[in-house]
């Protein structure tokens, strides 16, 4: 029997919706999605690093999320 070809999984960059959890920071979110704080701020028109619990953020990522 011939071996089956191995197909490499590719990451696909896309937008995800993230709901901020109490105590989370932009830095925490940037690490989770492998992006930069400045990218999150620009994407969400944030002037400061301050975010509120329950705030919905758009995050551009290529990390596979559940």
């Amino acid at each position: 029997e011939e071996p089956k070809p191995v197909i490499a999984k590719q990451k696909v960059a896309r937008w995800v919706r993230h709901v901020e959890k109490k105590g989370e920071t932009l830095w925490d979110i940037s690490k989770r999605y492998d992006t930069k704080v400045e990218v999150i701020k620009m994407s969400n028109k944030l002037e400061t690093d301050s975010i509120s619990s329950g705030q919905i953020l758009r995050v551009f990522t290529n990390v596979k999320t559940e």
Side-chain angles (χ1 to χ4, degrees):
E1 222 177 289
E2 288 187 38
K4 294 181 182 177
V6 176
I7 300 172
K9 292 182 180 180
Q10 295 180 349
K11 293 181 179 180
V12 178
R14 60 189 159 74
W15 288 101
V16 294
R17 187 187 105 175
H18 177 84
V19 180
E20 194 274 339
K21 297 177 184 93
K22 187 175 182 179
E24 253 183 340
T25 65
L26 288 176
W27 187 85
D28 297 328
I29 297 166
S30 72
K31 295 303 163 210
R32 177 176 177 180
Y33 294 104
D34 192 26
T35 188
K36 296 183 181 195
V37 169
E38 290 303 316
V39 173
I40 296 173
K41 286 174 65 174
M42 285 179 13
S43 302
N44 291 278
K45 299 179 181 166
L46 301 175
E47 294 182 8
T48 68
D49 289 351
S50 198
I51 52 177
S52 306
S53 181
Q55 184 171 349
I56 298 171
L57 300 171
R58 286 176 35 132
V59 182
F60 193 70
T61 183
N62 64 4
V63 173
K64 186 175 182 176
T65 57
E66 301 168 330

